Each structure stands twice: as structure tokens, then as C-alpha cells.
Amino acid sequence: MDPKVEHFMAAIKAKNPSQPEFHQAVHEVAESLIPFIEEHPRYKHSKILERIAEPERVIIFRVPWINDKGEVEINRGFRIEMNSAIGPYKGGLRFHPTVNLGILKFLAFEQVFKNSLTTLPMGGGKGGSDFDPKGKSDNEVMRFCQSFMTELCRHIGPNTDIPAGDIGVGGREIGYLFGQYKRIRNEFTGVLTGKGLEWGGSVIRPEATGYGAVYFAQEMLSMKDDSLEGKVCVVSGSGNVAQFTTQKVNELGGKVVTLSDSAGFIYDPKGIDAEKLAWVMDLKNIRRGRIKEYAEEFGCEYHDGKRPWSVPCDVAFPSATENEIRKEDAETLVKNNCRVISEGANMPSTPEAIEIYQKNKLLFGPGKAANAGGVAVSGLEMTQNSMRLPWNRDEVDNRLHMIMKNIHATCVKYGSEGEYIDYVKGANIGGFVKVADAMLAQGVV
Ligand code: NDP
Ligand code: 2IT
């Protein structure tokens, strides 16, 4: 390891003990940025990287609520306000039992670079709770969301910090959170994104992350004069990102053969077409069932307790969670001739897996570039809220497509190494420069 990176990481680890995901995210960025900063001393002397790795503010709070049995439950709520150099804090809320400070700090750190890459004026943040929405009634979810927002509402606002969804937070949760904010503050404002279309939401926001990850794959393929037409695609997850990734792959002539959840994956070699996808959306978004039921409905294989990376494919779209592709999985993907990885999820590949991709010269779009479409359309939702004027589908989809093309071009600009494009380096440096220059201009704050 570069001794300068090692020295930097030793300080990060000492200051942030027991936060392995945060260390992992910072390490990856430091490996790209430290050599770049050495060549640009103005960033070095003002300790920009050291400042970027320290959240501007961390809020941790108690979330008490009452379950359907009348018992008191207590969860922990978080909001990490990471960086506001280029705009108000912006980033999702995650409700999942694994949520802790280190995971949210990794996500907030990634968000700073991702949001900068979108070209829109958004700083970085992330939040959430260790609350598990699985198996809870709508009323329980509502009471939890109301209690969560009762505290959070004093820290956020349409010009301060604008949360949105992430794992476990979709349209239902955003609705309950928005209702409580409006009630307490007596303000109808764009304080959250991912809102319903009738009350300030944007068309294409639900689709945006998945569509964006597919547009990014399309851009990477087009560099090789290739396209998604006829490509076999493996998708993990079956939530928001996985569903709309599948929809866009179908539209562009590819074939998605897997979906998963935390219990296992289904393999449908005939492809998950529009009709089957509509069934999955009803299963996951309305009935809130398990992906196993797909295999029973459509008569295909279900692999309990496994992830889909052993299925031969041309393109992989990891769209579930962090560190879901490990070294052995990456080796299997390469052995099966997978050529493209476009990360819909945040940090789904371990550092060892990324090493395998790069050694084998795969087209690898890291999450902070490939999944930026979600937050980009959140930014467009904020624009529409400010104007009090909704755009139509074509307007938003064209802007999303253009933003993904721009992000790709930025990665090419900063990541080209001869013929090969190191999209990791390109995204890290490309995301950094604007934030760093803004921080320099604003002084030591
Ligand atoms: P959803 O809650 O809609 O879906 C999550 C999916 O991933 C579910 O199928 C879930 O299965 C699975 N999953 C979650 N945690 C695990 C785990 N620990 N192991 C295995 N499977 C798991 O979330 P999203 O689709 O919104 O988010 C998916 C990923 O995309 C996350 O990494 C998120 O950070 C990222 N992302 C999301 C954006 C958005 O706009 N929503 C934007 C950019 C990135 P199960 O139901 O069994 O838990
Ligand atoms: O990880 C992400 O970019 C998101 N969960 C979306 C954030 C947002 O503000 O739309």
C-alpha cells in the first residue's frame, strides 16, 4: 500500500473505531485521491481530504413508538450531515436492522462524491434507523415514521437538509414522514424527495436509480461499440432499484434472468419479462412477500440462502446491498465471461472483488457514478418544487439520461489510462474536484 494512504487510513481508523464500512469507503477514495492531491498541493495544504472525511454534523436520537400489541419499542435514529460545500445536505434514509453509525457514515461519504458528479447543487448526507419494517403493519410503520420525524424535523428543511428513500424507505414511508413534518412545521415544502405525484413528487423518481444504472452500463458498452441488445443480465435484489433496472434492460433488448432478496435468488432462464415484472412489483411493493414465491408462480429454480453471481451472464447489476459481491463471486463472474458490472447498490463489491474486475479489464461502473440517477432525479424534484411546476416524463427522463452521460464523460476524463478506463478513479477524482474547490473558496469552515 502507498505509505501516504496507509498513514492517512491509520488516522481515520484511530478516530473512527469499529466502523469497517466507513474505513472501506474512505480507503477506496483515498487510493484515488492521495496521488491526485500530491500533484495539486492547494488541496493538500488546506487538508481538504481530512475535512471531507469528518462529518459536519452527526445527529443521533431516540425513536420510541408503540406496537400493535400496545408495547413500547425503542429504536435509534440517525442523520449524518456530511458536507454542504456545494448545496444543502441531500441523501436517503435507510430503515434496516443492520443500520449503525459506521454504515450511515460510509453512505454519507459516498453521497458527497455522487451528488457532486450529478452536476446538481447538492451536498451529501444520509440517515436512517435500525427499525425493521419487515413484518410490521402499516399502522406500526406509520407510528414509527411519525416518531422518527418528530425529532428529525428540527434538523432538516428544504434549504438545509433534504432526505429521501433508501433500503426499507419507499413511497409509503416518505408519505408518513412528510405528513408528520407538515403537521409539526405547518409548511408544505420540498423537504423530502420521492414524494407521491399528487403532493409534489416527480415523475421518474421511482424509476431513476435503476434506469440510471442501465443508462450507465449502456454508456460503458457504447465505448466498445456494443449495446445491451441481446445481453443476459444478472440482477440482485428485488426492491426499488432491481425492479426498474429490470424494466429498462427489457426495454433496451436485454434479458434479466435473476432477482433476489435476503433469503435467496430465483433463476428464470426465459427472462423476467414485463408481465412477470409487474407480478414481482405487486409481490414486493403491495403484498410484501418473498422472492421465493416467484419460483412457485412461474416454475423456475429458487436457490435458498445464495446470491445470483454463479449464473452465467454478460452484465451484472448488483442492486441489493453493500459487500454482496466478494472475491470468489467476482472470480466466478469473470470465469463465466461477464464483461460489465454496473452498481445499482452502494458499495456492493468488496475491494478484493474490484481488484479482480480491474485485473481482468471489465467495464466496472462503481456505485457513486452508476447509481447517481436516483439522487439526480431527487435534485430535479427539488427544482420542480422550487418552481412549483411539474415536468412531464420525457422532460425528466431526458434530463436523467443526459446526467448519466455527463457522469460517464467525467469518469472518462479523470479515469482514462490509455485504452482502459478506471471508472473508480474517474468517479472519485471527478466527484472530488468541485467539492474541494468550493471548500477552498469558502475558507476553513
Ligand atoms: P429496497 O428496500 O427497495 O430493496 C432492497 C433489496 O435488497 C430487497 O430485495 C432486499 O431483500 C435486498 N437486501 C437488503 N439488504 C440485504 C442484505 N443485507 N442481504 C441481502 N439482500 C438484501 O431498497 P433499494 O432498492 O432502494 O436499495 C437497494 C440498494 O440500492 C441499496 O444499496 C441502496 O443504498 C442503493 N441505492 C438506492 C437508491 C434509491 O433511490 N432507492 C439510490 C442509490 C442507491 P429483503 O427484502 O429480503 O431485505
Ligand atoms: O443512495 C442514494 O443515492 C439514495 N438512496 C438516493 C438519495 C436521494 O436523496 O434521492
Side-chain angles (χ1 to χ4, degrees):
M1 201 201 293
D2 176 343
K4 290 204 167 71
V5 176
E6 202 166 348
H7 182 252
F8 176 75
M9 285 312 301
I12 291 286
K13 286 178 186 167
K15 214 168 180 186
N16 304 276
S18 311
Q19 297 179 2
E21 293 85 2
F22 181 62
H23 304 162
Q24 183 182 334
V26 174
H27 188 186
E28 186 215 273
V29 166
E31 277 190 321
S32 303
L33 285 181
I34 287 179
F36 178 78
I37 289 172
E38 285 300 314
E39 290 166 16
H40 300 82
R42 62 184 187 281
Y43 300 135
K44 189 175 175 182
H45 300 143
S46 48
K47 299 221 168 134
I48 298 288
L49 188 56
E50 289 81 350
R51 278 197 270 157
I52 281 188
E54 185 69 23
E56 288 180 15
R57 189 177 298 107
V58 173
I59 301 146
I60 304 184
F61 50 99
R62 178 169 70 200
V63 189
W65 57 284
I66 296 177
N67 69 21
D68 285 347
K69 288 184 267 177
E71 299 158 349
V72 175
E73 301 222 19
I74 298 121
N75 287 102
R76 186 170 289 171
F78 302 85
R79 186 71 184 165
I80 318 296
E81 296 184 335
M82 199 75 191
N83 194 298
S84 62
I86 63 168
Y89 310 107
K90 180 83 195 91
L93 296 171
R94 178 178 289 192
F95 292 169
H96 195 273
T98 57
V99 160
N100 60 38
L101 182 59
I103 288 183
L104 293 180
K105 277 173 63 184
F106 118 63
L107 290 161
F109 181 78
E110 291 278 294
Q111 200 81 44
V112 173
F113 297 82
K114 184 194 304 190
N115 292 4
S116 166
L117 282 167
T118 66
T119 69
L120 303 175
M122 299 182 290
K126 198 85 188 188
S129 175
D130 58 0
F131 173 75
D132 186 359
K134 257 195 223 108
K136 302 288 191 299
S137 69
D138 283 352
N139 276 330
E140 287 177 321
V141 170
M142 180 176 74
R143 285 196 294 273
F144 171 80
C145 287
Q146 290 176 339
S147 179
F148 184 85
M149 184 53 86
T150 300
E151 172 60 32
L152 187 68
C153 77
R154 67 181 90 228
H155 307 288
I156 62 176
N159 297 308
T160 316
D161 184 354
I162 305 93
D166 193 77
I167 293 177
V169 177
R172 173 182 64 171
E173 290 74 18
I174 294 293
Y176 295 147
L177 292 164
F178 184 79
Q180 184 74 350
Y181 182 90
K182 183 164 63 65
R183 185 178 187 196
I184 295 176
R185 300 283 289 258
N186 195 26
E187 270 175 26
F188 195 111
T189 61
V191 67
L192 293 163
T193 59
K195 301 185 290 299
L197 290 184
E198 307 81 1
W199 39 281
S202 173
V203 285
I204 307 279
R205 177 61 189 89
E207 292 88 338
T209 311
Y211 280 17
V214 178
Y215 291 149
F216 198 84
Q218 202 181 19
E219 286 303 301
M220 292 195 289
L221 279 162
S222 74
M223 297 289 285
K224 304 277 174 200
D225 291 323
D226 203 350
S227 76
L228 277 162
E229 179 82 41
K231 295 282 186 297
V232 174
C233 302
V234 158
V235 175
S236 67
S238 49
N240 172 268
V241 179
Q243 292 169 14
F244 289 103
T245 295
T246 304
Q247 186 171 86
K248 187 52 83 177
V249 167
N250 284 340
E251 267 177 40
L252 296 178
K255 181 164 81 166
V256 173
V257 295
T258 66
L259 286 173
S260 71
D261 60 23
S262 52
F265 78 91
I266 57 106
Y267 175 37
D268 183 349
K270 292 195 210 106
I272 300 157
D273 60 19
E275 206 175 305
K276 292 173 183 169
L277 180 62
W279 188 91
V280 171
M281 288 181 174
D282 183 67
L283 172 76
K284 284 290 169 183
N285 310 345
I286 312 288
R287 289 183 282 139
R288 299 185 191 272
R290 310 304 300 159
I291 202 65
K292 184 181 181 190
E293 296 167 46
Y294 179 104
E296 291 153 13
E297 177 74 15
F298 298 109
C300 71
E301 290 174 23
Y302 173 70
H303 297 264
D304 196 42
K306 298 236 160 56
R307 295 177 173 139
W309 315 121
S310 59
V311 172
C313 65
D314 304 304
V315 186
F317 290 100
S319 313
T321 194
E322 56 272 9
N323 292 328
E324 55 171 317
I325 305 186
R326 293 165 189 270
K327 185 175 182 221
E328 312 73 65
D329 304 316
E331 285 166 345
T332 307
L333 285 163
V334 168
K335 186 170 70 85
N336 288 336
N337 281 323
C338 173
R339 297 305 308 154
V340 184
I341 316 267
S342 187
E343 292 187 334
N346 284 305
M347 207 167 76
S349 306
T350 62
E352 297 76 22
I354 296 175
E355 226 179 288
I356 305 279
Y357 307 152
Q358 296 191 324
K359 215 166 67 194
N360 289 279
K361 304 266 187 284
L362 265 60
L363 296 171
F364 169 55
K368 61 171 81 68
N371 73 37
V375 75
V377 175
S378 278
L380 301 178
E381 183 172 329
M382 289 163 65
T383 308
Q384 294 167 77
N385 290 165
S386 300
M387 296 191 304
R388 291 178 172 14
L389 200 66
W391 286 329
N392 63 31
R393 264 188 96 81
D394 279 350
E395 173 90 40
V396 180
D397 196 25
N398 288 338
R399 284 180 188 269
L400 167 64
H401 206 156
M402 200 48 74
I403 288 170
M404 297 314 296
K405 279 173 183 266
N406 280 333
I407 295 174
H408 182 269
T410 302
C411 292
V412 172
K413 176 175 170 192
Y414 290 105
S416 289
E417 291 175 346
E419 281 284 282
Y420 183 65
I421 299 158
D422 181 345
Y423 287 93
V424 174
K425 183 175 149 195
N428 289 340
I429 298 177
F432 173 77
V433 170
K434 186 164 72 163
V435 177
D437 288 342
M439 288 173 74
L440 279 180
Q442 291 168 24
V444 180
V445 289

